[in-house]
Amino acid sequence: MLIDQFSPYRLTLLEMPAGDARYILAARSWCLLRKAAMDPHSRLLTYLHSERRVVRFSLFIETVTQIWPEPFALHRPCCAMPSVDEMVMVQALRCASLRNRPQFERLLHEMLGDDARDLLYAQAAALDERST
């Protein structure tokens, strides 16, 4: 089961790799600011350090919020612990950045259909600056 992959490895944001924590904080900010009808671009830039990555991450997280089988669970920005959905997201991003499609598929095959996984993989891989 998907939750079993993460329960023994629950790190706080301060303990996890900085890139993973930045993506989680960017996702939290994106969702909060969008809900408040505010533009998240400048906040995302502080986390992602690249205009191109901000645009691509915005597309990625918009897709995640639309195709996730249940509402995408984010914790509050001040929460040190990531949610299971946040952990799945950073694992998927890591797999895509390493071009490890088989692991990406194993991670998401139970919850997303083929087309959704294809779209999400393409968007996640595009976040890697080396992909351009």
Side-chain angles (χ1 to χ4, degrees), residues 13 16 18-32 43-44 47-48 57 74-79 86 89-90:
L13 294 180
M16 68 178 47
D20 292 354
R22 281 194 300 269
Y23 278 125
I24 290 171
L25 292 171
R28 290 175 181 182
S29 295
W30 185 90
C31 288
L32 282 173
R43 177 59 61 106
L44 295 185
Y47 294 122
L48 304 177
F57 181 78
L74 293 160
H75 285 175
R76 293 181 175 159
C78 60
C79 185
E86 291 168 338
M89 178 190 72
V90 296

Side-chain angles (χ1 to χ4, degrees), residues 16-118:
M16 68 178 47
D20 292 354
R22 281 194 300 269
Y23 278 125
I24 290 171
L25 292 171
R28 290 175 181 182
S29 295
W30 185 90
C31 288
L32 282 173
L33 291 168
R34 289 288 301 259
K35 188 175 182 176
M38 297 173 68
D39 183 4
H41 187 86
S42 61
R43 177 59 61 106
L44 295 185
L45 194 55
T46 64
Y47 294 122
L48 304 177
H49 310 294
S50 162
E51 292 283 343
R52 179 176 290 152
R53 192 175 286 133
V54 166
V55 170
R56 291 178 179 180
F57 181 78
S58 293
L59 290 171
F60 171 81
I61 197 68
E62 177 76 36
T63 300
V64 165
T65 62
Q66 297 300 312
I67 67 173
W68 223 246
E70 295 178 5
F72 189 74
L74 293 160
H75 285 175
R76 293 181 175 159
C78 60
C79 185
M81 294 301 297
S83 71
V84 171
D85 285 349
E86 291 168 338
M87 289 302 300
V88 171
M89 178 190 72
V90 296
Q91 289 289 338
L93 288 168
R94 186 178 303 123
C95 291
S97 73
L98 296 171
R99 303 301 189 260
N100 189 342
R101 183 66 186 254
Q103 183 63 28
F104 183 92
E105 292 292 324
R106 279 191 293 279
L107 179 67
L108 298 174
H109 82 277
E110 288 181 19
M111 60 186 280
L112 297 175
D114 294 343
D115 291 341
R117 287 193 317 273
D118 287 344

